[in-house]
Amino acid sequence: MKTITKLSAEQRRAAIITAVRRVFAEQGFHGTTTRELAKAAGVSEALLFKHFPNKEALYSAMMLSCCQNKDEGLAGRLMALEPSASTLVLLVHLLISHMLVRRAAGDGDDTLQSRLMLRSMLEDGEFAKLFLQGMPSQWIGKVEECIKAAVAAGDAIDGPVDTALRGWFTHHLAAMLRIHLLPAKPVVDYGVSREKLAEQVTWFALRGMGLKDETIKRHYNAKALALFTG
């Protein structure tokens, strides 16, 4: 006879948070009822309210869960790297590869997070703001340090665009490309594989950040760096 394992209060709370993400992503905060959320989580409304006093509390818990860095070890190692042109190449490659290659089409966590971001920006933007205050902001700061170091070393030119904005522009470029690739049949047919597209975008971004062509060629080997994205 199969033993049924009862979830602890903490496990049940975590399970509810995970289950409701798709509902919020598809219908938004205002378009979702507590009955629909309870149904998605496989619990009664009474049990839902036992763990979360109201819909706002559940949405806030869901936001915090989604915005937690899932790979703090890798993030910590990246932030500890010496600011330089080679570190900048690695940071940009990892960001773009994650956005365009690692995110498989379908209903995975990354896809749901992208849909939540889009839904948030169509409403009050609070989820998007919270998410961008996390790892993306740390990434922007590290990119700014790397650009300054690359300019000082003669590996990049100091153009008219603010260094912090170069990081944000690159992040937004990758994010928008990701959005175009969200549907099962991408909105735009770029005519190349995801891997080749990521490589082209990385070159485009690094040039826009001011890195010289010879610097990019010296440090950017997409196949070798792909080991970091496995």
Side-chain angles (χ1 to χ4, degrees), residues 8-97:
S8 66
E10 184 177 347
Q11 290 172 326
R12 175 64 68 187
R13 178 183 169 87
I16 292 173
I17 290 172
T18 299
V20 301
R21 287 183 302 172
R22 181 174 283 104
V23 183
F24 279 129
E26 292 175 351
Q27 300 176 206
F29 176 81
H30 296 293
T32 303
T33 66
T34 53
R35 178 177 297 180
E36 290 170 323
L37 294 169
K39 182 179 179 180
V43 299
S44 65
E45 283 189 84
L47 183 56
L48 186 75
F49 286 126
K50 179 180 178 181
H51 292 280
F52 304 95
N54 49 49
K55 187 170 69 169
E56 288 80 0
L58 176 54
Y59 186 70
S60 295
M62 185 274 299
M63 285 198 301
L64 288 173
S65 174
C66 289
C67 294
Q68 288 175 346
N69 183 19
K70 300 299 189 298
D71 194 348
E72 294 182 357
L74 175 59
R77 292 194 296 274
L78 290 174
M79 294 304 106
L81 291 174
E82 191 72 24
S84 65
S86 61
T87 298
L88 180 61
V89 169
L90 176 59
L91 290 172
V92 173
H93 168 81
L94 286 174
L95 170 74
I96 293 173
S97 292

Side-chain angles (χ1 to χ4, degrees), residues 167-179:
W168 278 120
F169 292 163
T170 297
H171 181 277
H172 296 340
L173 169 63
M176 184 52 67
L177 283 164
R178 179 173 178 165
I179 289 170

Side-chain angles (χ1 to χ4, degrees), residues 1 28 46 111 116 138 157 160 181 184-185 205-206 209 226:
M1 181 176 178
T111 299
L116 283 166
Q138 295 178 44
I157 58 173
L181 295 171
K185 184 177 181 180
L206 291 171
M209 287 181 164

